[in-house]
Amino acid sequence: MALGSAALLPAAVQASSHREAPFVTSIPKADATDFYMFRSYEPGRDKFVTLLANYVPLQDPYGGPNFFMMDPNALYEIHVDNNGDAKEDITFQFRFTNTNKDAQFTVGGKKVSIPLVINGGAIAGADAPGVNVRETYTVNVVRGDRRGGTRGAVTNAGSGAATFDKPIDNVGNKSIPDYAGYAAKHVYEVKIPGCETPARMFVGQRKDPFVVNLAETFDLVNIKAPAVEFDANAERASRDDLADKNVTTIALEVAASCLTAPGDPVIGGWTTASVRQGRLINPAPGAAAAPSKEGGAWTQVSRLGMPLVNEVVIGLKDKDRFNHSKPSADAQFADYVTNPTLPMLVETLFGNAGAKAPTNFPRNDLVAAFLTGVKGLNQPAKVTPAEMLRLNTSIAPATKGAQKRLGVIDGDNAGFPNGRRPGDDVVDIALRVVMGKLCTLNLGCAPADAPAGAIRFTDGAYLDDSAFTAAFPYLKTPLSGSPQGQAQAQARR
């Protein structure tokens, strides 16, 4: 049996983590959409781990005139736990600065500031004269607690500079004729304090890599009921509602030996964004006066490790609390994993077609998948239950073309939930796992506990590694704002 298109949640879901909690919808520049962590599968880079943190959801390619710069008043972080205690041991901190060059035209004998981020002339290189706003960033690595640990600046391996340029978004083909080549000039080889091997880094706009059938999901899961026999076309039957969207990516490729602790190859990872506690709005902003003044302690407002957790696991009343919390405090959310509501929703909507919820409580299979890692796969030697991506860095990567989109449940141990690669179809995987797929494998439960465990649930929006590149930063060139056309979005998929 199969579900023609998947059952997610009819209310609070917006892709992997796009607008997933009430408060973060008001600050989209701090909204993390997806987090990836995997052994690099670019040829010759298999000793490295790639970390991708995506922010600023649902970017329309034509979204000018200001497009989608990062927030200079926010702190973006990628955290790594390498001893299983649910606390960060290594944190990469990104801060952004936007500099208005105030390009002007002489009009009737007067110099007048222009209104656009592009002031004429094709853009080809970093900090090009034709770009009216220069966006730069700095990166610090913190070892230990991010507030009290040792801190050092990430620097350019060639020049020693500690400030990096971020490419302007893909505003259009006339302004940036070769966006792929232009963006490639913003891939940096960097030195990380405490790491002997140079790393690679990129921050910039990419095509949104997440694939999901959103619209029908929101409409009370307005999809087909399970069929008696599986239809292979069901996995490709629905539209990817993010096919025409871009996103902003923070990408790091770091030697695995720099991230792991001695004796344990398993690491955990998650990304967060924080803003200052206080904001004073300026009633009269101008060239020398910012529209607001930020102050006070950093306050975390976005958190993302495993995909879909805050969407389909955490209850609506606790979504903001989850975004403000740390993995070390996840015991407060345990009931959402051990006694999940999503399977009951699927049964309520499709129980007559055979989609019965698992009966094993507590759901130890989900505890393994979401909170501890799976024993023998990606569970650390000592583990504190907490939600994060976990990656066993001793498992060799699968090359592009050899990856299985369903990851571990299809026999590919280099894929989700052992970390997460861009080509892992986490919607289909998560649906099958939450409905008892691991019980059919005797992982934390028995086949009899999951009446629907063998159903090949799908949302109908197909994803595999053909949608991504074979080299860092792995995500595709963003869709251009101009020229427009439906064919453009389809050609990029």
Side-chain angles (χ1 to χ4, degrees), residues 50-63:
T50 294
L51 304 146
L52 306 176
N54 290 343
Y55 281 87
V56 195
L58 305 176
Q59 297 180 16
D60 291 319
Y62 48 83

Side-chain angles (χ1 to χ4, degrees), residues 271-485:
T271 185
T272 63
S274 302
V275 297
R276 296 295 189 182
Q277 281 186 345
R279 170 175 291 183
L280 182 65
I281 304 300
N282 186 348
S292 67
K293 179 69 174 178
E294 322 292 323
W298 288 115
T299 301
Q300 181 181 304
V301 294
S302 179
R303 168 188 168 186
L304 181 59
M306 294 281 286
L308 301 167
V309 169
N310 208 4
E311 292 75 9
V312 301
V313 178
I314 304 298
L316 183 60
K317 72 180 180 68
D318 282 329
K319 290 184 180 296
D320 287 330
R321 180 187 294 273
F322 179 84
N323 267 354
H324 284 69
S325 69
K326 292 177 173 290
S328 57
D330 278 350
Q332 64 185 311
F333 304 116
D335 287 350
Y336 289 123
V337 178
T338 59
N339 298 74
T341 59
L342 178 57
M344 293 305 300
L345 175 61
V346 175
E347 179 175 321
T348 299
L349 294 169
F350 301 105
N352 291 337
K356 301 293 186 181
T359 57
N360 55 303
F361 298 105
R363 288 289 302 274
N364 290 325
D365 54 328
L366 299 187
V367 170
F370 288 107
L371 301 183
T372 65
V374 177
K375 191 171 183 179
L377 176 71
N378 65 339
Q379 187 178 109
K382 296 180 180 179
V383 60
T384 298
E387 187 279 310
M388 64 181 74
L389 270 182
R390 287 186 172 85
L391 173 69
N392 186 340
T393 63
S394 70
I395 295 176
T399 60
K400 180 175 165 60
Q403 298 174 16
K404 296 183 178 180
R405 72 182 190 92
L406 298 178
V408 171
I409 65 172
D410 196 23
D412 181 0
N413 285 350
F416 184 79
N418 180 33
R420 180 188 177 190
R421 304 168 301 198
D424 290 331
D425 196 338
V426 296
V427 174
D428 283 9
I429 297 169
L431 286 166
R432 298 178 195 193
V433 168
V434 80
M435 291 304 292
K437 175 63 178 180
L438 298 185
C439 297
T440 69
L441 304 175
N442 290 296
L443 294 175
C445 48
D449 296 322
I455 292 180
R456 294 169 66 175
F457 292 93
T458 179
D459 70 335
Y462 191 83
L463 173 67
D464 64 17
D465 71 348
S466 67
F468 302 93
T469 70
F472 182 83
Y474 296 99
L475 308 185
K476 285 193 170 183
T477 300
L479 302 174
S480 65
S482 168
Q484 297 181 32

Side-chain angles (χ1 to χ4, degrees), residues 129-202:
V131 177
N132 199 17
V133 179
R134 183 184 185 188
E135 189 171 11
T136 60
Y137 62 97
T138 59
V139 188
N140 281 324
V141 61
V142 181
R143 298 184 183 276
D145 181 87
R146 69 183 181 95
R147 288 185 173 85
T150 60
R151 182 183 306 269
V154 173
T155 56
N156 189 309
S159 67
T163 299
F164 303 89
D165 274 281
K166 173 181 172 291
I168 191 172
D169 293 343
N170 195 359
V171 302
N173 296 345
K174 184 177 181 180
S175 298
I176 313 174
D178 177 16
Y179 193 89
Y182 164 69
K185 295 178 181 179
H186 296 81
V187 175
Y188 300 99
E189 184 175 85
V190 297
K191 291 184 177 179
I192 297 174
C195 297
E196 294 184 4
T197 305
R200 288 193 292 185
M201 182 169 69
F202 170 81

Side-chain angles (χ1 to χ4, degrees), residues 61-105:
Y62 48 83
N66 291 296
F67 294 92
F68 303 97
M69 287 176 270
M70 300 290 267
D71 187 354
N73 294 310
L75 173 66
Y76 302 87
E77 297 178 296
I78 295 175
H79 309 270
V80 175
D81 168 23
N82 60 22
N83 60 11
D85 66 354
K87 299 177 181 179
E88 62 267 23
D89 297 294
I90 305 170
T91 298
F92 299 96
Q93 298 182 324
F94 290 75
R95 293 293 310 277
F96 292 85
T97 299
N98 302 329
T99 303
N100 184 350
K101 298 179 181 179
D102 193 24
Q104 300 176 337
F105 287 155

